[in-house]
Amino acid sequence: MVNKIIKKKIVKTSKNGITKDMTFAEILEKHPEAGNILFESGLHCIGCGGAIYETLEQGCMMHGFSKKQIDDLVKRLNGGKGK
């Protein structure tokens, strides 16, 4: 893991993994297989024009996800056992 300072906060990122700070467009460009998990999770933002600018975290929050649900989704997108 690499620590990265973004807007005066430390965000843990992985060189090849998906993070909540990535836009939907970035996620789908680097990990097209993630589209199915996003869609199944109720995030139909994939085809939305805002997907270019909106981060995974922002999209999840707009759809009522809790911080835990967002973290679980990120784990699932990275092949972990998130719910």
Side-chain angles (χ1 to χ4, degrees):
M1 291 258 170
V2 176
N3 286 336
K4 188 175 177 181
I5 298 177
I6 298 176
K7 295 182 185 178
K8 297 186 179 181
K9 68 178 182 176
I10 296 178
V11 177
K12 291 187 178 184
T13 61
S14 168
K15 286 188 178 186
N16 297 314
I18 295 172
T19 69
K20 62 185 176 184
D21 298 308
M22 294 173 76
T23 65
F24 285 97
E26 280 180 288
I27 293 169
L28 294 171
E29 181 181 316
K30 295 176 182 176
H31 306 277
E33 70 283 358
N36 288 334
I37 294 172
L38 293 171
F39 196 80
E40 291 169 3
S41 299
L43 297 170
H44 305 129
C45 315
I46 300 165
C48 174
I52 298 170
Y53 309 105
E54 195 171 73
T55 66
L56 176 61
E57 182 176 38
Q58 291 168 334
C60 286
M61 291 177 78
M62 292 293 290
H63 286 279
F65 284 49
S66 69
K67 295 280 186 186
K68 177 159 179 13
Q69 288 172 314
I70 295 169
D71 290 341
D72 286 345
L73 177 59
V74 171
K75 285 178 190 170
R76 187 170 168 218
L77 288 166
N78 285 302
K81 295 189 180 197
K83 295 178 185 177

